[in-house]
Amino acid sequence: DDLERLADEVRTAETVVAFTGAGISAPSGVPTFRDDDGVWEKFDEGQFTYGRFRSDPEGFWDDRVDLQREMFGDDYEPNAAHRALAEMGLDGDLEAILTQNTDGLHGRAAEAVRDESRRTEEVHDGAESAVEDGDGDGRTNGTDTALLELHGNAQRVRCTDCGKRRTADPIFERAADGALPPTCECGGVFKPDVVLFGEQLPRAVLQRARSLARESDAFLAIGSSLVVEPAASLPRVAASTDATVGIINLEETPCDDVADIVYREDVTEALPRLQDLVAE
Ligand code: OAD
């Protein structure tokens, strides 16, 4: 079937890049943006712009506390789709994960999968860990899948004056208790460490994402509506250099026309199977 074809492409490709959106975290209980019960059905996108953060930080933070609770209020864990990508990374089958998500789940899945593999190696090899870095390049074997969080990470905040980063939870608690906007000890205002509407993506990150799309032989867009930039153009960038483009998403997307393979299935079904097929 189509997934077998996609797995063949991934297996023979030298450079495989995965690009993910909110759909990959939906099975973990993190809401998407544009589905029927999506975040932008309940909240007004216009309240979360960079312009409003600058002109009305108090109001911005007041609303952002509610948004954060809606998105990340419940405990949530990486799901089978995050894990499948992390394991493909460990197997050396994935050059990079580019994500629009700010939930930090790809990072957590990579950590979990790495820990498990390290423990297994320890059982097999005694105290010696086979995942230890041997060539002194600072990277441990099997962990060199790059993770680019294009929209930042909502589990952190960053001071707009001194640049210091902090774990988001305690700062959001302070804001919920009335510290609006929450400030750093330097006096600067904290901002969620994410890219807001009306704010540019960091140039270096965007350039790296574009060149990864260009260099890829297989580009997999997973769980994204592919309507906002740069999501809307990255699959086209990949297609323009003859990469095989695969789209795994429940709904139609405006990039389906450039895709070689469109697979409409739940990510937690599709990705573990893809991983198995690639590893065969
Ligand atoms: P969207 O909410 O726009 O799209 C999520 C897509 O995932 C939809 O097309 C769903 O059909 C699909 N989907 C949902 N559950 C799925 C599942 N279990 N398996 C497969 N597919 C599933 O989310 P994004 O494309 O990520 O930006 O949105 C892009 C950006 O728009 C976000 O990063 C955010 C938002 O405004 C910022 O906040 C800057």
Side-chain angles (χ1 to χ4, degrees), residues 28 30 32 46 84-86 126 169 175-176 189 192 223 230 238 245:
S28 293
V30 181
T32 62
L85 287 184
D169 280 353
V189 173
V245 174

Side-chain angles (χ1 to χ4, degrees), residues 124-135:
H124 290 308
D125 303 341
E128 216 175 315
S129 168
V131 293
E132 212 55 63
D133 179 35
D135 54 10

Side-chain angles (χ1 to χ4, degrees), residues 19-27 31-35 38-40 45 64 67 71 79 99-102 151 194-197 201 222-229 231 248-253 263-269:
F19 175 68
T20 68
I24 197 167
S25 295
T32 62
F33 294 96
R34 295 177 182 79
D35 291 304
V39 168
W40 300 145
E45 287 180 55
R64 181 76 201 192
L67 180 72
M71 291 195 69
N79 62 51
T99 187
Q100 302 166 84
N101 300 343
T102 62
H151 292 168
V194 299
V195 176
L196 300 175
F197 289 106
L201 261 65
I222 301 160
S224 173
S225 60
L226 303 177
V227 293
V228 297
E229 285 299 334
I248 300 175
N249 201 58
L250 282 180
E251 289 175 354
E252 228 174 272
T253 82
Y263 200 68
R264 258 186 243 309
E265 200 183 7
D266 187 295
V267 289
T268 56
E269 297 290 332

